[in-house]
Amino acid sequence: MTTISQIRVSSHCNDLGGKIWNPAIRWTQKYAVFVEIVDSNGQVGLGECWCFDTAPDALMAFLRTEVIPHFVGIAVEDAFDVAQQQIVRATLTARHGMLMSALSGIDIAIWDLKAQSSDVPLWQAIDPNAAGEFQLYGSGGLYGQQKTLQDLQAEMRSMADAGFQVLKMKVGALPIEDDVQRVMAALAALPEPYKLIVDGVYKYSADQALRLFDALPRDRIEAFQSPVAAHDYAGMTTLVKNGVPLMATEAEYRDELHQKLVEEVMVPFLQTAPVAVGGISRVQELQRLIANSETRLTLEVSSTSVALIAACHLAAASKDIAHVERHYVHQVFFEQLNFVSSSGSPGQFSLPKISGLGCFLPKDQVTVHFETTH
């Protein structure tokens, strides 16, 4: 029986200098937190946790004292059940959000170990019959110091030239008329079939969001991400009924909210981050939720290659997942993406048959915070 013999937690800090921003955050430093699980055979599974805090200290402490002690020494095959026990326990601890971030890293690492043990790529461990292909969209279009419309157009063109047929940009930090001008400029820089996802980062009322959307060519907008507050179900319902291809939400993890978005609001796109929702296992639960509905999943990634490659494996294993975000701002360790290859069609990519997740942590670029050994 293979057991978990050691868990190591480390982090990386990406210095973005405060020169770019979205409607909610000016990016200065962004941390990523990683979990490495070593099994009794010496294999190492790698995962990443969601971390949007000013510093990773709170998540580190939570992992060290509240989460990892429950996993070290157990059988690898029991890890999924232990994770579920921790979710149930959170009803008393009231640490649901941080717990799901922590469990995301552990879950992805366990899936990595599972795939390595079978000597198959992670996407095949998820579904042996999958084709291994998926769609990526290019994500950028943030606000920046002295960034002109021409700069925005050049950015969008560069992503299109890299093979992305769907691209994302931010709106919501300027008056609606100015953001409409930005979106129209971006569209003018792209070939006619190419589409945009516009991300409002929860900054609009439903009326404002509809006003912006109605000023845009509908056939060129793939989705309108997070236009209103995450709890504004009535506003989202209004937008969907008016034909807005709504994408919600991003880092949400609550089952009841996801269920409401799919069954009552009937969002066209349910967006989730595998490193925030609870990992690969929880994304699979969302796939079951959207079965026989009008909703499609789309995967958010805004950190490192570990999170991106995990999301790519998920999408490569399922036709239920519309696309995966490939960021052009948050690009830590992206030199590891060389094995993600184009499938020939714009935006379509594939993964090779490399055992497990297929990526690693550059040891000279991370800080190890602690190791817990059985």
Side-chain angles (χ1 to χ4, degrees):
M1 180 176 63
T2 306
T3 60
I4 295 174
S5 59
Q6 184 184 69
I7 300 181
R8 182 166 52 246
V9 176
S10 58
S11 72
H12 173 86
C13 179
N14 187 22
D15 187 356
L16 294 166
K19 297 178 181 179
I20 54 174
W21 60 91
N22 65 36
I25 300 173
R26 180 179 287 267
W27 292 106
T28 53
Q29 293 180 323
K30 189 175 190 311
Y31 285 88
V33 173
F34 307 99
V35 175
E36 292 174 282
I37 298 179
V38 184
D39 69 16
S40 52
N41 293 324
Q43 292 185 130
V44 181
L46 175 60
E48 182 177 338
C49 308
W50 180 268
C51 186
F52 262 60
D53 294 332
T54 304
D57 304 55
L59 179 56
M60 293 289 184
F62 187 74
L63 277 161
R64 184 176 62 251
T65 64
E66 306 304 317
V67 179
I68 285 176
H70 296 281
F71 289 89
V72 174
I74 70 168
V76 172
E77 63 184 19
D78 292 338
F80 301 121
D81 290 336
V82 172
Q84 188 58 41
Q85 292 166 13
Q86 295 307 300
I87 293 169
V88 172
R89 182 172 177 267
T91 302
L92 291 176
T93 64
R95 293 290 185 268
H96 301 80
M98 186 174 289
L99 175 64
M100 298 313 294
S101 296
L103 292 179
S104 295
I106 290 174
D107 184 85
I108 294 168
I110 291 293
W111 272 98
D112 187 12
L113 284 175
K114 180 179 178 180
Q116 289 182 55
S117 296
S118 300
D119 195 25
V120 297
L122 180 51
W123 58 270
Q124 276 197 323
I126 297 170
D127 183 356
N129 299 314
E133 296 185 354
F134 55 94
Q135 184 177 55
L136 290 173
Y137 67 82
S139 181
L142 277 74
Y143 301 90
Q145 292 178 356
Q146 300 179 334
K147 186 175 183 178
T148 65
L149 289 179
Q150 290 72 31
D151 294 332
L152 175 65
Q153 288 181 312
E155 179 186 5
M156 293 293 117
R157 277 195 298 268
S158 69
M159 288 192 283
D161 291 343
F164 301 104
Q165 194 167 26
V166 177
L167 304 96
K168 182 194 284 187
M169 64 177 289
K170 304 298 182 185
V171 294
L174 295 175
I176 290 175
E177 292 76 12
D178 293 338
D179 270 330
V180 167
Q181 184 181 21
R182 291 176 64 250
V183 175
M184 295 302 291
L187 287 170
L190 300 174
E192 188 68 29
Y194 286 37
K195 294 186 177 184
L196 283 178
I197 298 170
V198 291
D199 181 2
V201 198
Y202 313 105
K203 284 299 179 179
Y204 296 113
S205 68
D207 288 344
Q208 291 169 330
L210 191 57
R211 180 180 153 203
L212 183 145
F213 181 73
D214 282 343
L216 303 176
R218 293 194 173 204
D219 62 337
R220 301 292 304 280
I221 305 301
E222 171 79 357
F224 195 163
Q225 178 181 328
S226 304
V228 300
H231 61 271
D232 186 3
Y233 308 117
M236 286 188 274
T237 300
T238 295
L239 293 174
V240 171
K241 287 182 176 178
N242 278 275
V244 177
L246 191 70
M247 181 185 287
T249 53
E250 185 171 3
E252 185 53 62
Y253 56 87
R254 289 170 288 184
D255 292 337
E256 64 274 18
L257 188 145
H258 286 140
Q259 186 171 349
K260 192 176 186 76
L261 288 172
V262 173
E263 297 179 358
E264 297 182 28
V265 181
M266 295 186 287
V267 294
F269 293 101
L270 181 64
Q271 181 179 233
T272 190
V275 299
V277 75
I280 291 167
S281 299
R282 298 287 284 183
V283 173
Q284 290 178 312
E285 292 182 19
L286 292 180
Q287 289 177 271
R288 288 189 283 272
L289 173 65
I290 67 166
N292 303 315
S293 77
E294 298 298 317
T295 300
R296 298 190 71 193
L297 279 181
T298 181
L299 303 183
E300 190 274 357
V301 180
S302 56
S303 52
T304 82
S305 65
V306 179
L308 178 54
I309 292 171
C312 288
H313 278 284
L314 268 162
S318 175
K319 294 180 180 180
D320 295 333
I321 297 174
H323 30 48
V324 175
E325 182 173 21
R326 196 281 194 196
H327 226 288
Y328 272 75
V329 173
H330 306 295
Q331 298 191 77
V332 175
F333 309 149
F334 269 31
E335 62 274 7
Q336 295 194 41
L337 298 179
N338 292 334
F339 67 82
V340 178
S341 59
S342 173
S343 297
S345 300
Q348 288 294 122
F349 294 83
S350 63
L351 292 168
K353 292 190 176 182
I354 296 175
S355 179
L357 191 62
C359 63
F360 60 91
L361 286 185
K363 298 301 182 183
D364 60 340
Q365 297 183 53
V366 299
T367 300
V368 176
H369 290 261
F370 66 91
E371 298 177 342
T372 303
T373 303
H374 177 60

